[in-house]
Amino acid sequence: MPQPPPTLSDTPPATAVPCDRDILDMEPMLRNFGGPGPTVTMLYALFVENADALSLALKERLAAGDLDGARLAAHSAAGAARTAGAGRVADLFGSVEEAALRGDAAVAHRDAAALDRALADVKILIARI
């Protein structure tokens, strides 16, 4: 059976690429704020803090069987991830939101479980800014 391609969290830091647009497309943020600098750094730090908190809230809501609460957390996080350019993370949060809306707890749990790795990959790239 074919294995999935390695993610940035599987790649040693010395060989990891500095930017992967599937994980983090920094172009809009850098363009809107004039390139890397303290504002971009602060906004990405805020994004990471909020994404971690929303991911935790989402998982707590799912564990409690509260699909509506999970949907709301996923919705907020998906929007923030899209704004930050974190496409894979946005897609996962969006999938959890849609699954929760359909009442599909199994898919919501599956995609919520994938968030830790996706967020770790985003954090690797943000740390290199």
Side-chain angles (χ1 to χ4, degrees), residues 47-91:
F47 163 71
V48 167
E49 181 181 325
N50 289 333
D52 283 342
L54 287 167
S55 178
L56 178 62
L58 165 79
K59 290 173 186 172
E60 288 172 350
R61 296 294 82 212
L62 285 174
D66 178 6
L67 288 179
D68 194 50
R71 181 187 60 78
L72 291 172
H75 177 80
S76 295
R82 281 187 198 91
T83 299
R88 190 175 298 163
V89 171
D91 290 347

Side-chain angles (χ1 to χ4, degrees), residues 8-98:
L8 284 181
S9 58
D10 297 331
T11 307
T15 61
V17 293
C19 183
D20 182 336
R21 286 195 169 167
D22 290 335
I23 296 170
L24 183 68
D25 182 1
M26 295 181 282
E27 183 61 33
M29 184 80 82
L30 296 176
R31 183 181 58 246
N32 289 336
F33 294 98
T39 301
V40 169
T41 301
M42 182 269 308
L43 289 171
Y44 274 127
L46 184 61
F47 163 71
V48 167
E49 181 181 325
N50 289 333
D52 283 342
L54 287 167
S55 178
L56 178 62
L58 165 79
K59 290 173 186 172
E60 288 172 350
R61 296 294 82 212
L62 285 174
D66 178 6
L67 288 179
D68 194 50
R71 181 187 60 78
L72 291 172
H75 177 80
S76 295
R82 281 187 198 91
T83 299
R88 190 175 298 163
V89 171
D91 290 347
L92 285 169
F93 277 123
S95 179
V96 171
E97 178 185 7
E98 291 170 12

